[in-house]
């Protein structure tokens, strides 16, 4: 075993030969959008993301389904699975099985298995002083999803955010593989600062984040100001507050967005400053037009993130 | 005071219940009881977004949020706009040109001057005059209608003059009567008036 439960990481890695290691992950959740086909796609993109974040190539998948078969038409389930399979096809992954149970609450997700070279594993814990941090997708999906639940998000916003969540991190991972990346993770339930906190903790580093460089879905600011912040954002903040120092002018809404739990969020990549601009322009050329350099790593205050 | 018990409910439900209550009842005061920090912050944020002043007290696990409508909130403004005397109907006259009708411009200007000078005959029901587009030219220094508009204003008729239009004609400094206004005020006025006369 190369990567296991001892340190928090995106997926487990098990070495088979000197050239091949197995990378495995599982993720499932309750619906976040009403459209079952899109929910299936988002669930698949989210599950695949952990493999991409570690630099692996996903190969096979298994479905996990909990479905209220007595109260919900089976066509809903079919659409969810179809969404999942379409996303797997896009990723070049084969569905080889799965398991379903009856449950009052619908849940769907996948277990993904991939391959990775044992020497080329990207963990969260190898950041170096001076590394620049690149974020590939804008923040705010948790807040928008809360507004969707409340029936307040307009259709065009729902569609925009749905597409963003269903977007694979495959492209970002492939582009990143040509660069000397030190560490990477995908932004999900712990929010941007929660995941960054894990990275600097593991690397024994500090980080400086420039607020104005963080890509944010504009409508998330509006909904957060109206009080549509998910409970998870508060929990994330409570848990990691001691590791974050906010400059005074950072308003409460921005703080919530930085802790907002993301569904199928982007990759957070740490790499030497000499390569950061080139990686950023490659990402932007490949339809990740909101990708941005959001900060850098230092050794000033170890274990602290300073948001300016 | 309207009260909501949102204990045991996860976000965004407490905010949605608060929103529904405000949209339906338009209360002066509202109290929401929640039992977790996320709900507290979200409800307070929503109330402040809706211009309520909030106070929070904690009793055991219960967090009580009281929202009181602050000055200058939506409901309040509407009441002010409508005025205190609502016994008679309110007439709004919308003037969107400095002349009356089409055909001959000289004639149109004469007719408009005559219209403004005779408008007082409408009596107390004349509530507000709104001047837009070239209509703002009636309210500037040197305009023949200016004394009549001033007279109406002294009698308590409210006169709104479109700021965008004054700027467009470069007349912002020359306005002599009425309040410079924006489109939101104009729309609210149209909504609050009982009758609208368009010129």
């Amino acid at each position: 075993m190369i990567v296991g439960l001892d340190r928090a990481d995106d997926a487990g890695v098990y070495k088979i030969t000197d050239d091949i290691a197995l990378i495995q992950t599982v993720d499932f959740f309750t619906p976040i959008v009403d459209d079952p086909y899109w929910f299936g796609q988002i669930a698949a993109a989210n599950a695949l993301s952990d493999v991409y974040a570690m630099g692996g190539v996903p190969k096979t998948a298994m479905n996990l389904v909990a479905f209220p078969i007595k109260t919900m038409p089976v066509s809903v389930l079919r659409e969810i699975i179809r969404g999942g399979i379409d996303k797997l096809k896009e990723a070049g992954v084969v569905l080889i099985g799965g398991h379903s149970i009856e449950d009052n609450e619908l849940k769907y997700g996948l277990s993904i298995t991939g391959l990775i070279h044992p020497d080329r594993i990207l963990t969260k814990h190898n950041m170096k002083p001076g590394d620049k941090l690149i974020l590939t997708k804008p923040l705010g999906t948790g807040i928008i999803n809360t507004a969707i639940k409340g029936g307040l998000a307009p259709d065009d916003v729902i569609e925009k955010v749905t597409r963003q969540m269903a977007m694979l991190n495959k492209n970002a991972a492939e582009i990143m593989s040509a660069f000397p990346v030190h560490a990477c993770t995908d932004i999900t339930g712990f929010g941007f600062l929660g995941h960054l906190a894990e990275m600097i903790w593991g690397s024994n580093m500090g980080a400086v984040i420039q607020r104005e460089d963080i890509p944010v879905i504009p409508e998330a600011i509006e909904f957060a100001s109206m009080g549509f912040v998910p409970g998870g954002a508060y929990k994330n903040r409570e848990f990691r507050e001691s590791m974050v120092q906010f400059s005074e002018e950072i308003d409460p809404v921005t703080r919530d967005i930085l802790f907002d739990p993301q569904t199928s969020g982007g990759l957070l990549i740490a790499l030497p400053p000499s390569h950061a601009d080139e990686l950023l322009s490659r990402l932007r050329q490949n339809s990740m037009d909101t990708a941005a350099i959001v900060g850098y790593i230092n050794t000033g205050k170890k274990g602290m993130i300073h948001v300016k | 005071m309207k009260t909501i018990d949102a204990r045991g409910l996860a976000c965004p439900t407490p905010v949605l219940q608060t929103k529904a209550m405000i949209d339906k009842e338009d209360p002066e005061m509202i109290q929401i009881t929640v039992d977790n920090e996320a709900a507290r912050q979200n409800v307070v944020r929503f109330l402040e977004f809706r211009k309520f002043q909030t106070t929070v007290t904690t009793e055991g696990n219960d967090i009580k949020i009281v929202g009181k409508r602050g000055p200058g909130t939506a409901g309040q403004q509407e009441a002010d706009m409508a005025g205190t005397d609502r016994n008679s109907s309110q007439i709004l006259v919308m003037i969107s040109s400095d002349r009356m009708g089409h055909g001959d411009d000289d004639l149109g200007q004469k007719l408009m001057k005559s219209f403004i000078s005779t408008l007082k005959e409408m009596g107390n029901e004349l509530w507000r005059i709104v001047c837009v587009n070239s209509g703002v030219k009636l309210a500037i220094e040197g305009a023949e209608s200016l004394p009549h508009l001033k007279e109406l204003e002294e009698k308590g008729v409210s006169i709104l003059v479109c700021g965008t239009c004054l700027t467009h004609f470069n007349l912002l400094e020359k306005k002599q009567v009425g309040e410079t206004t924006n489109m939101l005020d104009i729309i609210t006025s149209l909504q609050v008036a009982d009758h609208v006369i368009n010129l």
Side-chain angles (χ1 to χ4, degrees):
Chain A
M1 189 195 60
I2 309 173
V3 179
L5 294 169
D6 51 333
R7 282 199 295 187
D9 222 305
D10 300 315
V13 183
Y14 186 84
K15 186 168 154 181
I16 298 174
T17 69
D18 285 345
D19 302 326
I20 299 174
L22 211 55
I23 177 164
Q24 291 181 293
T25 179
V26 59
D27 210 332
F28 64 104
F29 44 58
T30 54
I32 30 165
V33 291
D34 287 339
D35 186 314
Y37 176 68
W38 279 99
F39 171 53
Q41 289 191 64
I42 293 167
N46 188 63
L48 288 161
S49 182
D50 286 326
V51 176
Y52 292 129
M54 295 199 74
V57 178
K59 291 291 179 189
T60 61
M62 300 231 220
N63 275 335
L64 289 122
V65 178
F67 194 78
I69 193 75
K70 290 197 182 85
T71 54
M72 209 175 266
V74 72
S75 59
V76 172
L77 179 56
R78 249 184 253 125
E79 279 299 284
I80 293 172
I81 306 275
R82 187 170 73 88
I85 290 174
D86 279 1
K87 211 26 91 173
L88 292 174
K89 274 187 200 153
E90 187 187 328
V93 173
V94 193
L95 184 71
I96 55 170
H99 183 67
S100 58
I101 58 162
E102 193 187 333
D103 192 345
N104 290 333
E105 192 176 33
L106 169 59
K107 298 172 191 83
Y108 175 63
L110 302 99
S111 159
I112 308 283
T113 300
L115 298 176
I116 191 166
H117 192 288
D119 302 333
R120 302 216 51 195
I121 299 165
L122 284 176
T123 66
K124 299 181 181 182
H125 309 124
N126 192 35
M127 299 197 292
K128 304 277 185 273
D131 277 359
K132 293 268 174 127
L133 296 166
I134 292 181
L135 179 62
T136 65
K137 286 187 190 179
L139 304 177
T141 61
I143 291 162
I144 304 269
N145 288 337
T146 309
I148 293 176
K149 268 189 212 162
L152 277 145
D155 287 349
D156 59 325
V157 175
I158 298 179
E159 196 196 319
K160 179 172 76 174
V161 172
T162 301
R163 283 183 191 284
Q164 181 189 314
M165 292 187 293
M167 187 178 111
L168 288 174
N169 281 327
K170 178 173 189 264
N171 251 339
E174 282 171 3
I175 294 165
M176 158 179 93
S177 70
F179 288 81
V181 171
H182 286 151
C184 178
T185 191
D186 59 333
I187 306 298
T188 53
F190 295 134
F192 171 76
L193 289 176
H195 289 284
L196 179 59
E198 282 185 347
M199 290 177 95
I200 63 162
W201 190 253
S203 307
N204 200 22
M205 294 284 156
V208 176
I209 298 300
Q210 296 107 226
R211 155 68 191 100
E212 67 270 23
D213 295 336
I214 302 256
V216 176
I217 304 164
E219 290 81 4
I221 300 168
E222 187 189 331
F223 288 124
S225 322
M226 288 173 63
F228 286 90
V229 177
Y234 290 98
K235 287 196 192 105
N236 289 340
R237 198 175 69 193
E238 243 166 50
F239 184 49
R240 291 297 187 184
E241 217 156 27
S242 60
M243 286 181 70
V244 183
Q245 182 202 342
F246 287 105
S247 289
E248 257 178 48
E249 67 272 17
I250 308 289
D251 59 278
V253 166
T254 301
R255 295 175 195 212
D256 288 343
I257 289 170
L258 294 175
F259 277 116
D260 183 38
Q262 302 298 287
T263 301
S264 188
L267 298 182
L268 179 59
I269 304 163
L271 81 169
S274 50
H275 292 84
D277 289 337
E278 201 193 333
L279 174 55
L280 181 65
S281 72
R282 288 284 313 280
L283 292 169
R284 287 192 171 170
Q285 282 159 19
N286 284 274
S287 68
M288 281 161 271
D289 29 314
T290 56
I293 297 173
V294 297
Y296 60 91
I297 297 305
N298 66 8
T299 50
K301 279 187 186 165
K302 286 179 183 167
M304 282 300 289
I305 301 167
H306 185 188
V307 181
K308 293 210 263 204
Chain B
M1 180 163 65
K2 295 286 167 190
T3 58
I4 297 171
D5 183 357
R7 286 175 295 181
L9 300 172
C11 290
T13 311
V15 168
L16 291 173
Q17 291 187 349
T18 309
K19 181 180 183 296
M21 180 71 87
I22 292 173
D23 289 347
K24 191 164 156 248
E25 310 271 351
D26 193 25
E28 281 300 309
M29 269 179 100
I30 186 167
Q31 177 183 297
I32 305 102
T33 309
V34 298
D35 60 2
N36 66 83
E37 189 53 23
R40 178 185 79 83
Q41 294 193 24
N42 274 326
V43 169
V44 166
R45 204 172 271 179
F46 180 77
L47 286 172
E48 285 172 358
F49 173 76
R50 285 294 182 89
K51 303 277 190 292
F52 280 78
Q53 290 164 347
T54 56
T55 44
V56 180
T57 49
T58 309
E59 289 169 28
N61 289 328
D62 294 356
I63 306 168
K64 283 193 166 60
I65 304 155
V66 175
K68 191 168 168 262
R69 212 180 257 293
T73 60
Q76 199 79 33
Q77 254 173 14
E78 214 163 61
D80 287 347
M81 279 280 189
T84 44
D85 179 15
R86 300 262 16 209
N87 296 330
S88 55
S89 66
Q90 302 190 120
I91 298 173
L92 182 148
V93 177
M94 180 91 167
I95 299 174
S96 52
S97 168
D98 59 345
R99 51 205 73 169
M100 191 178 211
H102 304 284
D104 189 291
D105 282 351
D106 289 342
L107 175 64
Q109 275 179 348
K110 273 183 208 161
L111 290 173
M112 182 56 89
K113 187 195 158 203
S114 169
F115 176 83
I116 301 283
S117 64
T118 321
L119 197 53
K120 57 177 182 283
E121 301 305 324
M122 220 177 243
N124 286 336
E125 290 192 348
L126 178 60
W127 167 59
R128 178 166 284 180
I129 297 168
V130 178
C131 300
V132 299
N133 211 321
S134 62
V136 301
K137 290 181 181 171
L138 302 170
I140 61 161
E141 64 180 58
E144 286 186 305
S145 297
L146 183 62
H148 304 295
L149 283 175
K150 280 188 167 170
E151 194 190 335
L152 287 167
E153 190 172 50
E154 273 164 30
K155 282 186 175 168
V157 177
S158 142
I159 297 172
L160 298 184
V161 186
C162 160
T164 310
C165 314
L166 286 168
T167 310
H168 177 81
F169 294 113
N170 207 12
L171 294 172
L172 207 51
E173 307 296 317
K174 296 198 168 165
K175 187 201 68 166
Q176 295 288 318
V177 68
E179 281 176 65
T180 308
T181 191
N182 57 44
M183 198 50 85
L184 181 63
D185 282 346
I186 294 173
I187 285 169
T188 314
S189 303
L190 290 169
Q191 195 173 7
V192 170
D194 295 309
H195 302 285
V196 174
I197 295 167
N198 264 301
L199 281 191

